[in-house]
Amino acid sequence: MRKEDHIRLALADKTKLTSLDAYAIDYNSIPRFGLSDINTSTSVCGKTWDYPFFINAITAGGKECNKINKDFMEVSKVCDIEFFPGSYSPALKNKEDALSYPKGYSVNLGLDKKPQAILTAIKNTNAQYLQLHTNPLQEIVMPEGDHNFETWESTLREVSKKSYIPIILKETGFGMNEDTIKLACELNLAAIDVSGMGGTNFARIENGRRKDKSSYLENIGYTTAESLEIAKKYRDKIDVIASGGIRNPLDVIKCLALGAKAVGVSKIFLEILLNNGKEALISEIEKWKKEIKFLMILMNSKNIEELYGKIRKID
């Protein structure tokens, strides 16, 4: 029931403002380009994506979650955007979940897992990418969480040496500091997903699942914008992915202007899928694709790289 609880509590959280609201894009009154001049493709982990945003799922395991993953797969294929499934962890315990987990996309596992289990999961899922998620704060608050972290770095080091697919080190809503980004660069990981504060708060979600709440823990971490500011100087060493509180195409553009190469979207797409269905989500994603091009025109940027730096902090 834990994954179903995560969905229910995530959708109940109505966070409105995020760190990205403190930034404004570089708006031009005289655009120089038209729609046909705009190239929205980006390169992540050595692969070219046609669009710089993707479906970043928070679901894994169980009948309801497997149905959501299946729907997201179908939507991603229709819209020609990337889809990253939720944690493979339930599949390590349940054969039915293993069979239902999306194959040929990415495999998502936490650093609490044994290196061999992670490497076997890569093979079993025929994954293109490995998302290694790190979530110590969530584990601390989670009633059934793992409270032993001494093997996490050694697991990351071992898997980084043995994985034959690109590794994305992914936070889970608490952002990344410079030491974490430096370590990812040292290990020659392909990418980091900074996943900052401002979106789904898993400390708050886990507090919602326990009787003895520790609400003060919900305010620890770095926002998405803070994480991107920290990551800027490493963008020539590692691909930077942004997620955490992405609500609309303007948030996507702001993250790209702050140095991200791609942006993960979770909650807003999940809400549309569950409340209005696949066709509504397809229509919304197509709208995002068009409006991202419009925003690039307003910023006189023909491609994603030209967006970088065209943003300012609002006093």
Side-chain angles (χ1 to χ4, degrees), residues 176-184 222 227 230-231 233-234:
M176 281 191 182
N177 69 354
E178 188 164 7
D179 282 349
T180 304
I181 297 169
K182 281 182 177 178
L183 177 60
Y222 295 81
S227 299
I230 294 168
K233 62 182 177 182
Y234 299 98

Side-chain angles (χ1 to χ4, degrees), residues 21-174:
D21 293 322
Y23 290 79
I25 61 170
D26 183 19
Y27 167 77
N28 285 274
S29 299
I30 311 292
R32 298 192 185 96
F33 310 121
L35 279 175
S36 61
D37 300 310
I38 302 300
N39 179 3
T40 59
S41 68
T42 188
S43 175
V44 180
C45 299
K47 299 177 186 291
T48 299
W49 298 0
D50 289 338
Y51 299 95
F53 68 99
F54 61 96
I55 301 172
N56 208 11
I58 60 172
T59 56
K63 186 175 180 181
E64 181 182 354
C65 295
N66 289 336
K67 170 67 165 57
I68 291 170
N69 272 331
K70 184 179 178 183
D71 288 344
F72 274 149
M73 285 170 57
E74 293 177 13
V75 169
S76 71
K77 287 178 180 177
V78 171
C79 296
D80 194 25
I81 65 170
E82 297 292 321
F83 163 57
F84 281 71
S87 175
Y88 188 74
S89 182
L92 296 177
K93 305 172 185 176
N94 186 303
K95 186 176 181 181
E96 184 178 332
D97 285 324
L99 292 172
S100 300
Y101 195 86
K103 307 296 190 295
Y105 289 83
S106 68
V107 62
N108 180 343
L109 278 169
L111 288 172
D112 59 316
K113 301 299 182 290
K114 300 289 185 184
Q116 189 54 52
I118 295 171
L119 296 169
T120 300
I122 294 173
K123 182 179 178 181
N124 290 344
T125 58
N126 191 30
Q128 297 184 65
Y129 313 94
L130 170 61
Q131 281 184 312
L132 286 178
H133 68 255
T134 175
N135 60 339
L137 183 53
Q138 180 187 3
E139 294 286 351
I140 287 170
V141 185
M142 189 189 303
E144 64 275 58
D146 178 12
H147 296 161
N148 298 297
F149 307 105
E150 61 271 17
T151 63
W152 284 30
E153 182 176 333
S154 62
T155 294
L156 179 60
R157 288 182 179 277
E158 183 173 344
V159 175
S160 70
K161 291 176 183 176
K162 296 180 178 179
S163 174
Y164 54 86
I165 60 173
I167 296 175
I168 301 168
L169 182 63
K170 173 183 169 55
E171 243 294 346
T172 53
F174 305 105

